[in-house]
Amino acid sequence: QVQLVESGGGLVQPGGSLRLSCAASGSISSVNVMDWYRQAPGRERELVATITSGGSTNYVDSVKGRFTISRDNAKNTVYLQMNSLKPEDTAVYYCHAKIATFFSPTYDYWGRGTQVTVSS
């Protein structure tokens, strides 16, 4: 009943910036935590950033000071502003959220992913 759709990925040079967006749609009652994960080829999926419904944030150490997660609760959308990008940031970035609908309790939902490539 819920879909998460990511956008904003692409190719960028080292030191550049990208802003990812993830919009949730469906019969949504409430959205709890929203997260960004990433997965590079041959590696396990990694939690990059988390934001609670109240706006509290956490980041993996490797992106602290460079990435900023935010959300627009009115639009059921989470963002990831990525600055000073490095080649090691290259991965497929996935949106995740814990969402309750008007017809079901809270479940975990995942987007299909958006490719971010940092290369010169």
Side-chain angles (χ1 to χ4, degrees):
Q1 293 181 334
V2 174
Q3 286 188 316
L4 302 180
V5 180
E6 303 100 334
S7 62
L11 175 64
V12 65
Q13 293 185 337
S17 298
L18 285 174
R19 191 190 194 201
L20 306 183
S21 299
C22 172
S25 62
S27 56
I28 296 171
S29 175
S30 63
V31 180
N32 295 318
V33 298
M34 304 186 81
D35 314 289
W36 285 99
Y37 288 74
R38 66 186 180 187
Q39 187 168 24
R43 299 181 181 179
E44 294 187 348
R45 189 169 297 187
E46 173 189 38
L47 176 61
V48 178
T50 298
I51 184 167
T52 69
S53 60
S56 297
T57 60
N58 282 299
Y59 303 89
V60 67
D61 287 344
S62 60
V63 308
K64 288 182 178 178
R66 300 188 299 119
F67 290 11
T68 302
I69 188 171
S70 61
R71 62 192 288 169
D72 185 337
N73 291 330
K75 297 180 179 180
N76 291 323
T77 300
V78 63
Y79 306 93
L80 186 67
Q81 178 67 46
M82 304 185 294
N83 299 325
S84 302
L85 283 162
K86 304 174 181 179
E88 52 262 43
D89 295 319
T90 296
V92 177
Y93 284 70
Y94 297 91
C95 176
H96 164 265
K98 297 179 72 69
I99 298 173
T101 73
F102 293 106
F103 312 105
S104 63
T106 301
Y107 289 105
D108 293 294
Y109 295 90
W110 292 88
R112 296 296 182 92
T114 184
Q115 178 70 48
V116 172
T117 302
V118 184
S119 177
S120 59

